[in-house]
Amino acid sequence: MFVNHIDECRGQLSPEHGEVIKATLPLVGANIENITKLFYKTMFEKHPELIRNVFNRGNQKQGAQQKALAASVATFASMLVNKDAPLPDHLLSRIGHKHVSLGVTEDQYQIVHDNLFYAIVQVLGADVVTKDVAEAWDSVYWIMARLLINFEKDLYKGAKVEPGKVFRQTTVLEREALTSDVVRFTIESKDGSKPLPAHLPGQYISVRAKLPDGAGQLRQYSLVDSGEKPGRLSFAVKALEASESAPAGEVSNWLVDNAKVGTDLEVSVPFGDLVLNTESNAPVVLISAGIGATPMIGMLSRLSSVASERHVVIVHADTNSGTDAFATHREHLASALKNYELHVFYKEGASGKNVTIGHLDVSKFAFPNDAEFYLCGSTTFLQEAREGLKANNVKPSSVHFELFMPNDWLLDE
């Protein structure tokens, strides 16, 4: 989708600016985490509404969002000055879909620009960030920004909404506890004349939680229904406990503790680029771990609802049957398919039909030829799964994945 713009993007960077970027990229790269930390600190001081109502406070505490910005800017700049580097389609598409799901608009790019360049000068020093250096990096920023702005305008248009106007008022119709810490919610529009839209299998919505301190924090949750028709949407939430490396999930815990049947929720229309190709007849392989099953269940729901004749291979890894939130539903959906394989791997428990106790190693699978692979899970899981598929001679272009973190493109590093 972006690859057609690669020459256009490089053509927008003058040869002189290109040489400056080549010369300063190592210095910027070495300091970019300090730059982005100061950038966010400054921006949130000037625009506190952004950290309250747009940015993920949990990711900010972990530094995950800073790493994401660092990766995107450095990767894009490297692409502009390296003719052998591919345009980072995956990175740009993921950013664009995330932006529109949050209601980001064109004017907010100026806010980011002003605070980012303030931070660059403060960290590197005015003697380093000369006029030529500032102009070169300013050019890189706006080339990337314009590419994203145009892409996001197209996403808004495709969703039939005005830029930024993505949120809908909904009511919880059903609440079902799938495990001790995973709950499935089914919602519908409060305005019966404006039903929630259909969606592509694998997409997500943003859900806004009104927290006790008044913040309206947003989080994305994959849709687990088939998405064929407008009306109801279903998504699953796993309550996240605090760990040594991460705080407790503010929104997930609020939803699990407070959202009941009849509760009003503000949600976005669906977005997301990890979607099942419904036009293809090629075999499908769905690989997931833990709560990463949610987008795979959305895809499986669509395949099941149309009684697909495609060869479908479903592979899931979990701790045990008690933590596998979609165990029963997965089997039910698969049973409607004409040609499927189901493989579940648990770390503990008893083996049984379709269930193996042990470690999932996709390098040992005999997958159908010319299959399309869809993956979702933790960083460690995805890294191992992708290496296993590579060892299994699966073409990287056939592998599509999503990580529930803002910097999943770093898996390509």
Side-chain angles (χ1 to χ4, degrees), residues 351-363:
S351 60
K353 182 183 178 182
N354 305 321
V355 175
T356 300
I357 304 304
H359 184 70
L360 168 61
D361 183 355
V362 296
S363 68

Side-chain angles (χ1 to χ4, degrees), residues 397-411:
S397 60
S398 298
V399 180
H400 317 283
F401 65 93
E402 184 166 65
L403 172 71
F404 292 147
M405 289 292 286
N407 57 331
D408 57 356
W409 51 82
L410 291 177
L411 293 174

Side-chain angles (χ1 to χ4, degrees), residues 381-397:
F381 173 78
L382 284 183
Q383 288 173 328
E384 183 176 325
R386 293 175 76 211
E387 285 300 314
L389 292 176
K390 182 179 180 180
N392 208 338
N393 297 314
V394 173
K395 296 181 297 183
S397 60

Side-chain angles (χ1 to χ4, degrees), residues 9-29:
C9 288
R10 289 186 175 131
Q12 293 176 37
L13 188 70
S14 71
E16 295 78 13
H17 285 165
E19 291 303 314
V20 172
I21 296 301
K22 288 180 182 178
T24 57
L25 188 56
L27 178 63
V28 172

Side-chain angles (χ1 to χ4, degrees), residues 239-261:
L240 300 177
E241 297 181 355
S243 66
E244 292 183 2
S245 60
E250 281 191 296
V251 176
S252 65
N253 282 284
W254 185 90
L255 286 168
V256 169
D257 292 342
N258 296 281
K260 314 295 182 184
V261 172

Side-chain angles (χ1 to χ4, degrees), residues 278-346:
T278 57
E279 302 300 319
S280 172
N281 291 318
V284 179
V285 180
L286 308 176
I287 304 175
S288 59
I291 198 61
T294 51
M296 305 301 120
I297 292 296
M299 297 180 193
L300 186 56
S301 293
R302 175 65 67 87
L303 291 165
S304 177
S305 69
V306 298
S308 175
E309 296 185 2
R310 298 168 71 174
H311 185 178
V312 181
V313 181
I314 308 148
V315 183
H316 180 71
D318 225 305
T319 303
N320 54 52
S321 60
T323 62
D324 187 358
F326 294 97
T328 301
H329 192 47
R330 186 184 301 114
E331 290 189 11
H332 172 72
L333 292 172
S335 67
L337 301 174
K338 304 290 179 63
N339 182 14
Y340 77 93
E341 302 173 38
L342 176 59
H343 307 278
V344 178
F345 289 78
Y346 293 146

Side-chain angles (χ1 to χ4, degrees), residues 113-255:
H113 169 274
D114 295 346
N115 288 282
L116 179 59
F117 277 77
Y118 168 81
I120 290 173
V121 174
Q122 292 299 307
V123 171
L124 299 184
D127 57 327
V128 173
V129 187
T130 62
K131 180 181 178 183
D132 289 343
V133 171
E135 287 180 351
W137 280 97
D138 186 80
S139 181
V140 168
Y141 176 85
W142 284 113
I143 292 171
M144 182 175 174
R146 283 192 294 269
L147 198 62
L148 284 168
I149 288 168
N150 290 332
F151 177 60
E152 290 159 18
K153 285 181 178 178
D154 287 341
L155 290 179
Y156 283 128
K157 184 178 180 180
K160 299 180 180 179
V161 297
E162 295 180 23
K165 306 295 185 182
V166 297
F167 292 100
R168 300 288 181 269
Q169 296 299 323
T170 71
T171 301
V172 176
L173 289 181
E174 299 174 7
R175 172 193 166 107
E176 180 184 3
L178 301 179
T179 67
S180 61
D181 59 358
V182 178
V183 177
R184 176 167 51 199
F185 298 97
T186 299
I187 58 176
E188 71 174 1
S189 174
K190 288 182 67 67
D191 184 347
S193 66
K194 297 180 180 179
L196 296 173
H199 63 87
L200 300 175
Q203 289 191 307
Y204 57 76
I205 55 173
S206 288
V207 180
R208 190 187 303 276
K210 297 295 185 181
L211 300 175
D213 66 355
Q217 283 281 287
L218 290 164
R219 298 292 185 274
Q220 288 71 48
Y221 296 104
S222 297
L223 295 162
V224 297
D225 56 274
S226 66
E228 289 178 277
K229 300 177 181 179
R232 299 180 177 183
L233 297 177
S234 293
F235 62 97
V237 178
K238 178 181 176 65
L240 300 177
E241 297 181 355
S243 66
E244 292 183 2
S245 60
E250 281 191 296
V251 176
S252 65
N253 282 284
W254 185 90
L255 286 168

